[in-house]
Short mmCIF file of all heavy atoms in Angstrom, two decimals:
data_model
loop_
_atom_site.label_atom_id
_atom_site.label_comp_id
_atom_site.label_asym_id
_atom_site.label_seq_id
_atom_site.Cartn_x
_atom_site.Cartn_y
_atom_site.Cartn_z
N LYS A 64 0.80 -1.23 0.02
CA LYS A 64 0.03 0.01 0.01
C LYS A 64 0.86 1.24 0.01
O LYS A 64 0.57 2.20 -0.74
CB LYS A 64 -0.92 -0.01 1.20
CG LYS A 64 -1.92 1.15 1.22
CD LYS A 64 -2.91 1.04 2.34
CE LYS A 64 -3.92 2.16 2.31
NZ LYS A 64 -4.88 2.10 3.45
N GLU A 65 1.86 1.25 0.84
CA GLU A 65 2.81 2.38 0.87
C GLU A 65 4.21 1.86 0.66
O GLU A 65 5.00 1.76 1.64
CB GLU A 65 2.74 3.15 2.20
CG GLU A 65 1.36 3.86 2.38
CD GLU A 65 1.17 5.01 1.39
OE1 GLU A 65 2.21 5.59 0.94
OE2 GLU A 65 0.03 5.39 1.12
N ALA A 66 4.58 1.53 -0.55
CA ALA A 66 5.93 0.96 -0.83
C ALA A 66 7.00 2.00 -0.52
O ALA A 66 6.87 3.13 -0.99
CB ALA A 66 5.99 0.46 -2.27
N PRO A 67 8.00 1.61 0.18
CA PRO A 67 9.07 2.61 0.49
C PRO A 67 9.91 2.91 -0.74
O PRO A 67 10.04 2.07 -1.66
CB PRO A 67 9.95 1.90 1.56
CG PRO A 67 9.73 0.41 1.26
CD PRO A 67 8.30 0.31 0.80
N ARG A 68 10.47 4.07 -0.81
CA ARG A 68 11.44 4.41 -1.85
C ARG A 68 12.71 3.54 -1.65
O ARG A 68 13.11 3.22 -0.58
CB ARG A 68 11.83 5.89 -1.81
CG ARG A 68 10.64 6.80 -1.99
CD ARG A 68 11.14 8.26 -2.05
NE ARG A 68 10.05 9.22 -1.97
CZ ARG A 68 10.14 10.54 -2.04
NH1 ARG A 68 11.35 11.03 -2.24
NH2 ARG A 68 9.09 11.29 -1.97
N GLN A 69 13.33 3.19 -2.77
CA GLN A 69 14.54 2.43 -2.76
C GLN A 69 15.65 3.19 -3.47
O GLN A 69 15.48 3.78 -4.51
CB GLN A 69 14.33 1.06 -3.47
CG GLN A 69 13.40 0.13 -2.67
CD GLN A 69 13.97 -0.28 -1.33
OE1 GLN A 69 15.15 -0.62 -1.22
NE2 GLN A 69 13.17 -0.18 -0.27
N ARG A 70 16.85 3.15 -2.85
CA ARG A 70 17.99 3.88 -3.36
C ARG A 70 18.74 3.00 -4.32
O ARG A 70 19.17 1.94 -3.97
CB ARG A 70 18.86 4.33 -2.18
CG ARG A 70 19.94 5.34 -2.53
CD ARG A 70 20.83 5.57 -1.33
NE ARG A 70 20.13 5.94 -0.16
CZ ARG A 70 20.11 7.19 0.36
NH1 ARG A 70 20.79 8.14 -0.19
NH2 ARG A 70 19.41 7.42 1.48
N VAL A 71 18.92 3.44 -5.58
CA VAL A 71 19.68 2.69 -6.57
C VAL A 71 21.10 3.27 -6.63
O VAL A 71 21.29 4.50 -6.70
CB VAL A 71 19.01 2.84 -7.96
CG1 VAL A 71 19.87 2.16 -9.04
CG2 VAL A 71 17.59 2.28 -7.92
N LEU A 72 22.07 2.44 -6.58
CA LEU A 72 23.51 2.82 -6.50
C LEU A 72 24.28 2.47 -7.76
O LEU A 72 23.93 1.55 -8.43
CB LEU A 72 24.18 2.13 -5.30
CG LEU A 72 23.46 2.27 -3.93
CD1 LEU A 72 24.25 1.52 -2.87
CD2 LEU A 72 23.36 3.74 -3.57
N PRO A 73 25.31 3.22 -8.05
CA PRO A 73 26.17 2.90 -9.21
C PRO A 73 26.75 1.53 -9.05
O PRO A 73 27.18 1.12 -8.00
CB PRO A 73 27.23 3.98 -9.18
CG PRO A 73 26.64 5.11 -8.38
CD PRO A 73 25.76 4.43 -7.37
N ASP A 74 26.79 0.77 -10.17
CA ASP A 74 27.49 -0.58 -10.10
C ASP A 74 28.40 -0.80 -11.29
O ASP A 74 28.98 -1.88 -11.44
CB ASP A 74 26.48 -1.67 -9.98
CG ASP A 74 25.58 -1.86 -11.25
OD1 ASP A 74 25.74 -1.04 -12.22
OD2 ASP A 74 24.74 -2.75 -11.23
N GLY A 75 28.58 0.23 -12.16
CA GLY A 75 29.50 0.06 -13.29
C GLY A 75 28.92 -0.64 -14.48
O GLY A 75 29.59 -0.76 -15.54
N CYS A 76 27.70 -1.19 -14.40
CA CYS A 76 27.13 -1.94 -15.49
C CYS A 76 26.01 -1.15 -16.17
O CYS A 76 25.49 -0.20 -15.62
CB CYS A 76 26.53 -3.29 -14.95
SG CYS A 76 27.81 -4.39 -14.31
N ILE A 77 25.64 -1.61 -17.38
CA ILE A 77 24.53 -1.03 -18.10
C ILE A 77 23.43 -2.13 -18.18
O ILE A 77 23.72 -3.29 -18.41
CB ILE A 77 24.93 -0.59 -19.48
CG1 ILE A 77 25.90 0.62 -19.41
CG2 ILE A 77 23.74 -0.20 -20.39
CD1 ILE A 77 26.45 1.18 -20.72
N GLU A 78 22.18 -1.72 -17.97
CA GLU A 78 21.08 -2.67 -17.92
C GLU A 78 20.06 -2.40 -18.99
O GLU A 78 19.70 -1.22 -19.26
CB GLU A 78 20.34 -2.55 -16.55
CG GLU A 78 21.23 -2.49 -15.31
CD GLU A 78 21.47 -3.82 -14.71
OE1 GLU A 78 20.93 -4.82 -15.25
OE2 GLU A 78 22.14 -3.89 -13.65
N LEU A 79 19.66 -3.47 -19.67
CA LEU A 79 18.50 -3.41 -20.61
C LEU A 79 17.34 -3.97 -19.82
O LEU A 79 17.39 -5.08 -19.39
CB LEU A 79 18.80 -4.20 -21.86
CG LEU A 79 17.89 -4.02 -23.08
CD1 LEU A 79 18.57 -4.46 -24.34
CD2 LEU A 79 16.55 -4.71 -22.91
N PHE A 80 16.26 -3.16 -19.70
CA PHE A 80 15.29 -3.45 -18.63
C PHE A 80 13.86 -3.48 -19.21
O PHE A 80 13.47 -2.62 -19.99
CB PHE A 80 15.42 -2.26 -17.65
CG PHE A 80 14.88 -2.56 -16.26
CD1 PHE A 80 15.75 -3.02 -15.26
CD2 PHE A 80 13.58 -2.36 -15.96
CE1 PHE A 80 15.28 -3.24 -13.99
CE2 PHE A 80 13.12 -2.59 -14.70
CZ PHE A 80 13.96 -3.04 -13.71
N PHE A 81 13.09 -4.48 -18.77
CA PHE A 81 11.68 -4.52 -19.10
C PHE A 81 10.82 -4.52 -17.84
O PHE A 81 11.02 -5.35 -16.94
CB PHE A 81 11.34 -5.78 -19.89
CG PHE A 81 11.99 -5.88 -21.25
CD1 PHE A 81 13.28 -6.40 -21.41
CD2 PHE A 81 11.36 -5.39 -22.37
CE1 PHE A 81 13.88 -6.46 -22.62
CE2 PHE A 81 11.95 -5.44 -23.63
CZ PHE A 81 13.21 -5.99 -23.74
N ILE A 82 9.92 -3.57 -17.71
CA ILE A 82 9.00 -3.51 -16.58
C ILE A 82 7.71 -4.28 -16.98
O ILE A 82 6.99 -3.85 -17.87
CB ILE A 82 8.65 -2.07 -16.16
CG1 ILE A 82 9.93 -1.35 -15.68
CG2 ILE A 82 7.55 -2.03 -15.13
CD1 ILE A 82 9.73 0.12 -15.40
N LEU A 83 7.53 -5.43 -16.43
CA LEU A 83 6.40 -6.29 -16.76
C LEU A 83 5.24 -6.22 -15.78
O LEU A 83 4.17 -6.70 -16.04
CB LEU A 83 6.86 -7.75 -16.83
CG LEU A 83 8.03 -7.99 -17.78
CD1 LEU A 83 8.52 -9.45 -17.67
CD2 LEU A 83 7.69 -7.67 -19.22
N GLY A 84 5.49 -5.56 -14.63
CA GLY A 84 4.44 -5.35 -13.64
C GLY A 84 3.88 -3.95 -13.68
O GLY A 84 3.70 -3.39 -14.76
N ASP A 85 3.61 -3.37 -12.54
CA ASP A 85 3.09 -2.01 -12.48
C ASP A 85 4.22 -1.00 -12.68
O ASP A 85 5.42 -1.33 -12.66
CB ASP A 85 2.44 -1.77 -11.13
CG ASP A 85 1.14 -2.63 -10.97
OD1 ASP A 85 0.38 -2.74 -11.94
OD2 ASP A 85 0.94 -3.20 -9.90
N ASP A 86 3.84 0.25 -12.84
CA ASP A 86 4.81 1.30 -13.16
C ASP A 86 5.79 1.49 -11.99
O ASP A 86 5.52 1.15 -10.83
CB ASP A 86 4.08 2.62 -13.42
CG ASP A 86 3.39 2.68 -14.74
OD1 ASP A 86 3.78 1.92 -15.65
OD2 ASP A 86 2.45 3.50 -14.92
N ILE A 87 6.91 2.09 -12.33
CA ILE A 87 7.93 2.46 -11.30
C ILE A 87 8.28 3.93 -11.47
O ILE A 87 8.50 4.39 -12.55
CB ILE A 87 9.24 1.57 -11.50
CG1 ILE A 87 8.89 0.09 -11.25
CG2 ILE A 87 10.32 2.03 -10.53
CD1 ILE A 87 10.05 -0.81 -11.45
N ARG A 88 8.27 4.61 -10.32
CA ARG A 88 8.59 6.01 -10.30
C ARG A 88 10.10 6.24 -10.02
O ARG A 88 10.67 5.46 -9.21
CB ARG A 88 7.81 6.76 -9.20
CG ARG A 88 6.34 6.52 -9.26
CD ARG A 88 5.63 7.24 -8.10
NE ARG A 88 4.20 6.95 -8.05
CZ ARG A 88 3.63 6.27 -7.07
NH1 ARG A 88 4.32 5.81 -6.03
NH2 ARG A 88 2.32 6.04 -7.07
N ARG A 89 10.66 7.18 -10.68
CA ARG A 89 12.03 7.63 -10.30
C ARG A 89 11.96 9.08 -9.88
O ARG A 89 11.49 9.94 -10.64
CB ARG A 89 12.99 7.49 -11.46
CG ARG A 89 14.43 7.99 -11.02
CD ARG A 89 15.47 7.70 -12.10
NE ARG A 89 15.34 8.41 -13.31
CZ ARG A 89 15.78 9.67 -13.49
NH1 ARG A 89 16.36 10.32 -12.53
NH2 ARG A 89 15.66 10.28 -14.66
N PHE A 90 12.45 9.34 -8.69
CA PHE A 90 12.41 10.69 -8.17
C PHE A 90 13.55 11.55 -8.70
O PHE A 90 14.70 11.18 -8.59
CB PHE A 90 12.39 10.65 -6.61
CG PHE A 90 11.06 10.22 -6.07
CD1 PHE A 90 10.73 8.89 -5.97
CD2 PHE A 90 10.13 11.14 -5.68
CE1 PHE A 90 9.54 8.47 -5.53
CE2 PHE A 90 8.89 10.73 -5.17
CZ PHE A 90 8.61 9.39 -5.12
#
């Protein structure tokens, strides 16, 4: 219901990404 924000950190890699569920917000 109130999902916490998650901090994404640098990892040196590049990602090709598919969101198959609900939307994701980036602040």
Side-chain angles (χ1 to χ4, degrees):
K64 187 175 182 180
E65 292 294 334
R68 299 184 190 185
Q69 292 296 313
R70 193 185 306 252
V71 177
L72 306 179
D74 66 359
C76 295
I77 292 178
E78 314 266 3
L79 194 161
F80 202 95
F81 295 89
I82 295 174
L83 305 174
D85 293 318
D86 286 338
I87 296 177
R88 308 178 184 113
R89 177 171 69 84
F90 285 82

